Amino acid sequence: RGISSLRDLCSLPVSESAKALDLVFGNGNRVKHISNRATQFLNSLPLVTVENVTTKHEIEKSSGRASGRLNFDIMFNTRETVNARRGGHGMNSKDSLQAESNLIIIVGTYQSRCLLCHKSVTISGGKVNKKSQSIEMSFDWALANANGGPDGGSMVMRLLHEDIRGMDSELIIPLQIGG
C-alpha cells in the first residue's frame, strides 16, 4: 500500500501505521523506543475530515448579485487522547498537540483555480479525541459557476494545516448540493 504523505499514514489503522513505522526504523531495542514515540506522536495528530456539505445559491435583493453559501462540518479526530499514553504519563507538552493549531480552509474554482473564499480555524488541543465545528462560507456564485467545469460545476476545497506539514488535503465539491 503506497504512503505518500503523513496524512496517508495517519489514515491507516493504528496497527498498520505502527508496522509501517517499524519498517522505517528497523529492529532493535533502542530503535523500538524511537518507533514507539513516533507512533504515539502520529496517534496524537488531528485527522481533519469534512462532512455534511451543502451549497446554496442566493440572490441579494438589494443588488441582484448572485452569492453562494457553503456550509459543512469539520471533524477533528485523533486516535488517542494525549494523557492516556503510558499509564497517564504521556509525552510532554512540547511533543503533544495540547497547544492550539491552525487550519486554513481555501475554496477556489475548479477550472481556473480562482480564489472564492477562505477561513482560518483554530484546532484547540486537549484531551478530547473527537471534535467538530460547523463552518459557513460565502462566495461569488457567478464566478464559481463560470469556472466550475462540466457536470453542473464544482469547487475545490483545500485544508491546509499551518503547523503540521504533510497533513493537507483537497476535496472536490459540486456546486449543486442540497440546500
Side-chain angles (χ1 to χ4, degrees):
R1 187 179 198 169
I3 300 171
S4 61
S5 70
L6 186 58
R7 181 176 176 78
D8 292 343
L9 192 56
C10 283
S11 298
L12 293 174
V14 175
S15 60
E16 285 186 42
S17 62
K19 285 179 189 175
L21 287 173
D22 285 343
L23 290 173
V24 170
F25 291 110
N27 294 326
N29 288 338
R30 184 176 175 153
V31 174
K32 189 65 176 168
H33 173 71
I34 295 169
S35 179
N36 287 343
R37 295 277 294 171
T39 300
Q40 289 172 353
F41 178 75
L42 184 70
N43 289 338
S44 71
L45 293 176
L47 186 61
V48 178
T49 56
V50 175
E51 297 180 358
N52 306 320
V53 179
T54 60
T55 57
K56 293 180 185 176
H57 174 229
E58 301 168 344
I59 304 289
E60 292 179 11
K61 292 180 183 178
S62 60
S63 66
R65 193 178 130 222
S67 66
R69 292 218 185 278
L70 175 64
N71 294 298
F72 54 94
D73 295 328
I74 289 275
M75 307 298 291
F76 307 104
N77 296 305
T78 55
R79 295 186 282 187
E80 197 173 276
T81 59
V82 174
N83 289 328
R85 296 183 206 101
R86 292 187 281 147
H89 302 289
M91 293 185 293
N92 66 35
S93 61
K94 282 185 187 176
D95 294 336
S96 70
L97 292 178
Q98 291 216 10
E100 292 181 342
S101 180
N102 288 322
L103 178 74
I104 307 297
I105 304 165
I106 300 172
V107 179
T109 61
Y110 183 77
Q111 285 185 328
S112 61
R113 303 288 201 217
C114 294
L115 179 65
L116 293 171
C117 55
H118 62 90
K119 187 170 229 163
S120 178
V121 177
T122 301
I123 305 170
S124 58
K127 299 174 186 172
V128 179
N129 58 352
K130 264 194 174 185
K131 297 178 185 179
S132 68
Q133 186 172 345
S134 295
I135 305 287
E136 182 176 306
M137 300 173 81
S138 298
F139 61 93
D140 182 342
W141 183 269
L143 180 61
N145 199 30
N147 295 291
D151 301 323
S154 299
M155 299 180 290
V156 177
M157 178 189 290
R158 288 196 174 155
L159 305 172
L160 308 174
H161 288 263
E162 269 188 14
D163 308 310
I164 310 168
R165 189 175 183 171
M167 293 294 289
D168 300 343
S169 60
E170 180 176 289
L171 302 115
I172 304 298
I173 300 171
L175 282 173
Q176 304 293 331
I177 301 178

